[in-house]
Amino acid sequence: MVTASEAETQAVARELAATLKPGDVLLLSGDLGAGKTTFVKGLAAGLGIDPDEVSSPTFTLLHEYRGGRLTLYHADLYRLDKTATDDLGLEETGVRDGVLAIEWPDRLSHDISDAKLIRLEIVNDASRRITIETTNY
Ligand code: ADP
Ligand code: MG
């Protein structure tokens, strides 16, 4: 689908959030500025977490937002390379008690099974194409 604003992208994420279960992993791919963090804000809102708490993790690799229907874990792997993600234990993080959203999942050293892949593409200044697919390895 194509969204025409940041608010519309967040609305798509809010709807998806309603369907999430503990242990779900979302892989958010797309260029810088495509809307990955914006999407995570929408997930937060849909889970009952203040979206303003969500920021681009800069030096903190993994953020944790509590107080919603499910705990939201948010990882940004932009600065890592594949070998550095080996020891993160991200999968274990997600399955405990919440859902895990990962920006730049191409940095992961191995596939995460049953992840939902969300691809964001820049169409123009205000538009983004969002593709959501469920993968099964
Ligand atoms: P990323 O995390 O992928 O680098 P961000 O979510 O941090 O991207 O930033 C996306 C930027 O694009 C924001 O400045 C946002 O306002 C802008 N934007 C413009 N149109 C849209 C849209 N339709 N959906 C999401 N973001 C949009
Ligand atoms: Mg981001």
Side-chain angles (χ1 to χ4, degrees):
M1 70 206 84
V2 175
T3 63
S5 68
E6 187 173 340
E8 280 187 25
T9 293
Q10 289 196 25
V12 171
R14 273 206 312 278
E15 270 187 42
L16 179 69
T19 71
L20 295 176
K21 316 177 299 299
D24 280 347
V25 179
L26 308 177
L27 305 181
L28 296 154
S29 68
D31 292 339
L32 269 181
K36 300 179 294 298
T37 302
T38 299
F39 196 93
V40 176
K41 286 177 195 257
L43 291 176
L47 292 171
I49 297 161
D50 180 358
D52 289 341
E53 279 191 50
V54 176
S55 59
S56 296
T58 45
F59 297 106
T60 311
L61 187 69
L62 182 69
H63 280 269
E64 190 176 317
Y65 309 109
R66 297 188 171 274
R69 181 174 72 81
L70 298 166
T71 299
L72 175 62
Y73 297 93
H74 177 203
D76 189 329
L77 308 182
Y78 183 56
R79 285 167 193 80
L80 299 185
D81 59 35
K82 281 186 189 291
T83 53
T85 60
D86 263 341
D87 306 320
L88 290 178
L90 282 177
E91 283 174 87
E92 294 75 9
T93 298
V95 294
R96 275 206 315 253
D97 61 344
V99 300
L100 170 61
I102 304 176
E103 296 188 41
W104 300 99
D106 54 305
R107 266 61 160 174
L108 289 168
S109 53
H110 53 271
D111 290 334
I112 294 184
S113 55
D114 297 334
K116 292 178 206 302
L117 181 60
I118 295 150
R119 198 168 63 241
L120 293 121
E121 295 165 276
I122 299 174
V123 178
N124 59 38
D125 271 3
S127 287
R128 302 292 186 268
R129 179 171 293 105
I130 305 176
T131 313
I132 301 176
E133 44 188 72
T134 304
T135 56
N136 284 295
Y137 295 106

